[in-house]
């Protein structure tokens, strides 16, 4: 089990990164300044109005991406620690990863609700779950394909 800790560490680090992103430094007001300068450097004709609508979608995509990565790291930690890669993943593993990621999303939004420049909403939790479910469906499809080709016919 001690060897398996190296698969849990990335998951723990990513949870820390998620909570770092929920700090005041990554509020919409702070990220908009940096992103606008970067986008305006490449596209001088880009207006502030267009930027604000795009900024909203960039931030929501960041939610999906962050929780997709968390789901991936969670699956790797779970599979490598319990040797589930040798067999088809059970529904329990999907439920455990979903509950873990949902718990982190709830704690993240709760944390944001206590920061002046941030807002914690249930809508963001639902957006986070898009990333979780996307990776879970990908893992389900990939493991189903692997088990189709590796199962022995009688």
């Amino acid at each position: 089990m001690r060897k398996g800790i190296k698969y849990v560490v990335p998951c723990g680090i990513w949870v820390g990164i998620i909570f770092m992103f929920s700090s005041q430094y990554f509020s919409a007001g702070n990220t908009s300044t940096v992103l606008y300068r970067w986008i305006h450097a490449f596209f001088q004709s880009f207006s502030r109005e267009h930027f604000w609508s795009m900024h909203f979608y960039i931030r929501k995509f960041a939610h999906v991406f962050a929780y997709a990565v968390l789901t991936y790291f969670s699956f790797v930690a779970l599979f490598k620690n319990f040797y589930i890669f040798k067999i088809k993943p059970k529904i329990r593993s999907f439920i455990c990863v979903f509950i873990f990621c949902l718990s982190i999303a709830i704690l993240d939004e709760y944390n944001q609700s206590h920061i002046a420049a941030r807002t914690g909403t249930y809508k963001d939790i639902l957006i986070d779950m898009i990333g979780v479910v996307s990776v879970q469906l990908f893992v389900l499809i990939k493991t189903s394909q692997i088990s189709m080709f590796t199962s022995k016919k009688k």
Side-chain angles (χ1 to χ4, degrees):
M1 191 67 161
R2 189 169 178 130
K3 291 179 186 178
I5 196 77
K6 68 182 177 184
Y7 299 109
V8 175
V9 169
C11 188
I13 290 172
W14 195 254
V15 168
I17 289 170
I18 287 173
F19 280 101
M20 181 188 70
F21 282 140
S22 70
S23 70
Q24 184 170 345
Y25 298 110
F26 290 93
S27 67
N30 289 334
T31 59
S32 65
T33 308
V34 175
L35 281 174
Y36 182 73
R37 286 182 193 155
W38 186 76
I39 290 172
H40 194 67
F42 290 102
F43 307 103
Q44 283 81 21
S45 63
F46 209 76
S47 71
R48 282 242 184 234
E49 294 79 29
H50 285 104
F51 171 74
W52 276 107
S53 63
M54 192 171 98
H55 185 246
F56 173 81
Y57 292 109
I58 290 170
R59 292 181 61 82
K60 297 311 167 190
F61 176 76
H63 277 265
V64 172
F65 177 78
Y67 281 86
V69 172
L70 178 63
T71 304
Y72 172 76
F73 285 152
S74 300
F75 269 123
V76 170
L78 187 67
F79 290 169
K80 292 292 186 174
N81 277 315
F82 297 105
Y83 306 104
I84 298 176
F85 269 148
K86 295 179 181 178
I87 59 172
K88 187 176 176 184
K90 305 274 190 247
I91 192 71
R92 288 187 305 257
S93 60
F94 287 91
I95 292 170
C96 286
V97 168
F98 184 85
I99 290 171
F100 172 71
C101 292
L102 177 63
S103 300
I104 298 299
I106 291 169
L107 288 172
D108 181 39
E109 293 304 317
Y110 178 76
N111 181 42
Q112 287 183 32
S113 70
H114 289 86
I115 298 172
R118 304 299 303 261
T119 55
T121 67
Y122 72 92
K123 292 176 186 174
D124 282 345
I125 295 171
L126 295 174
I127 292 169
D128 298 340
M129 293 301 103
I130 292 170
V132 172
V133 171
S134 298
V135 172
Q136 287 193 324
L137 288 173
F138 178 78
V139 169
L140 183 65
I141 290 167
K142 289 307 259 181
T143 55
S144 296
Q145 289 173 348
I146 291 169
S147 65
M148 266 186 354
F149 294 112
T150 59
S151 63
K152 296 180 181 177
K153 295 181 181 178
K154 292 182 180 182

